[in-house]
């Protein structure tokens, strides 16, 4: 009986370990290439893993947020994929570079012209977006993934505070604090200018020092020649005096 109980306990413990260590299924996500700063522009990648062993991902449809519409969204051309950009009228026009924008991208669809994303692989779908909102900490994109066997997976569930991650979470882009690259760039340029001026002054000082050293060497050379000539003349005179004596 004790042996049976121990065996049963061991089996239950093993099952629990397997359950806890089982990897979570991957899902469609979005990440910036670098940073996605508020008020700025960024290139973001929609990462699409293939979760099926017997089918390829042949279509991806990403819906853009309507609460924070993006005036610019340009997908990068991809070999083997047809890209369709859908725009919609804005209820409230946006201003971009001094111009009013009355429509924005509402959806981008990628359709495979070949095999698509095959089993065991993932693919990134890059999009240049901006200007990113300044009054939001994140942007939620809803994605629909279609497989070659006609199966459709909707990654559209929004994560709620204090709750577990939903089964099919929507891709979320986290925004960082507004960038001050322009200010830093000016400071860097100023520092570079100061360094350049310092280098020029150092070069001028080095040149002056070199000129001074050259002049000193010439003077010493002339003095040496004169001293040598005097020595020779003194030797000749001394020889004549001895001969006369």
């Amino acid at each position: 009986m004790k042996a049976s109980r121990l065996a049963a306990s061991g089996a239950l413990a093993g099952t629990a370990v397997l359950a806890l260590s089982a990897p979570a299924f991957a899902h469609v996500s979005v990440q910036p290439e670098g940073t996605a700063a508020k008020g700025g522009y960024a290139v973001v990648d929609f990462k699409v893993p293939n979760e099926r062993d017997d089918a390829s991902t042949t279509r991806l449809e990403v819906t853009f947020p309507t609460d924070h519409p993006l005036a610019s969204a340009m997908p990068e051309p991809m070999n083997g994929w047809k890209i369709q950009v859908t725009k919609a009228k804005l209820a409230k026009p946006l201003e971009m570079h001094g111009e009013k924008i009355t429509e924005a991208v509402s959806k981008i669809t990628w359709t495979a012209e070949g095999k698509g994303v095959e089993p065991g692989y993932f693919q990134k779908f890059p999009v240049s977006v901006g200007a990113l909102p300044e009054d939001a900490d994140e942007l939620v994109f809803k994605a629909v993934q279609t497989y070659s066997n006609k199966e459709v997976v909707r990654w559209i569930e929004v994560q709620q505070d204090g709750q577990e991650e939903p089964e099919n979470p929507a891709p979320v882009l986290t925004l960082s604090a507004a960038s001050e690259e322009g200010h830093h760039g000016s400071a860097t340029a100023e520092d570079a200018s100061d360094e350049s001026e310092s280098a020029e002054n150092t070069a001028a000082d080095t040149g002056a020092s070199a000129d001074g050293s050259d002049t000193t060497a010439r003077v010493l050379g002339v003095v040496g020649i004169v001293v040598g000539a005097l020595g020779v003349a003194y030797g000749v005179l001394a020889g004549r005096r001895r001969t006369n004596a």
Side-chain angles (χ1 to χ4, degrees):
M1 290 295 291
K2 290 183 179 180
S4 299
R5 290 178 181 177
L6 288 174
S9 300
L12 288 174
T15 303
V17 170
L18 289 175
L20 290 173
S21 62
F25 288 108
H27 51 76
V28 175
S29 60
V30 59
Q31 291 292 334
E33 295 183 4
T35 59
K38 297 179 181 180
Y41 289 76
V43 174
V44 300
D45 294 327
F46 292 94
K47 182 180 178 182
V48 180
N50 194 323
E51 298 179 317
R52 303 295 180 263
D53 296 328
D54 56 353
S56 298
T57 296
T58 55
R59 191 169 184 265
L60 173 67
E61 180 181 297
V62 175
T63 300
F64 281 63
T66 56
D67 54 343
H68 295 288
L70 299 173
S72 175
M74 297 182 292
E76 180 178 329
M78 297 176 59
N79 292 330
W81 293 86
K82 177 184 177 181
I83 306 175
Q84 181 181 355
V85 179
T86 304
K87 295 184 178 182
K89 292 288 184 180
L90 297 175
K92 183 180 179 181
L94 299 174
E95 285 194 9
M96 182 177 179
H97 303 302
E99 297 182 1
K100 285 189 176 181
I101 307 299
T102 58
E103 63 179 12
V105 173
S106 59
K107 181 171 60 178
I108 298 181
T109 305
W110 291 265
T111 304
E113 297 179 324
K115 295 182 179 180
V117 186
E118 297 184 79
Y121 292 87
F122 75 91
Q123 189 155 359
K124 293 180 180 180
F125 297 79
V127 182
S128 174
V129 297
L132 298 171
E134 298 181 0
D135 57 348
D137 295 325
E138 62 183 24
L139 293 177
V140 178
F141 299 84
K142 296 184 177 182
V144 177
Q145 182 179 12
T146 303
Y147 287 91
S148 56
N149 61 1
K150 307 304 179 183
E151 179 186 2
V152 177
V153 182
R154 302 180 185 278
W155 305 98
I156 61 174
E157 298 178 87
V158 180
Q159 174 74 51
Q160 302 298 326
D161 293 338
Q163 296 185 10
E164 295 182 357
E165 183 181 50
E167 184 177 355
N168 295 317
V172 177
L173 176 66
T174 301
L175 304 182
S176 60
S179 173
E180 297 182 0
E181 292 180 357
H183 174 72
H184 293 319
S186 299
T188 302
E190 185 177 352
D191 292 342
S193 176
D194 291 342
E195 290 177 3
S196 177
E197 184 178 354
S198 176
E200 291 177 359
N201 292 336
T202 301
D205 293 340
T206 302
S209 177
D211 292 342
S213 299
D214 187 47
T215 301
T216 302
R218 290 177 181 176
V219 171
L220 291 176
V222 172
V223 171
I225 292 172
V226 172
V227 172
L230 291 175
V232 172
Y234 177 78
V236 172
L237 291 175
R240 286 181 179 178
R241 288 178 181 176
R242 289 177 182 175
T243 302
N244 294 331

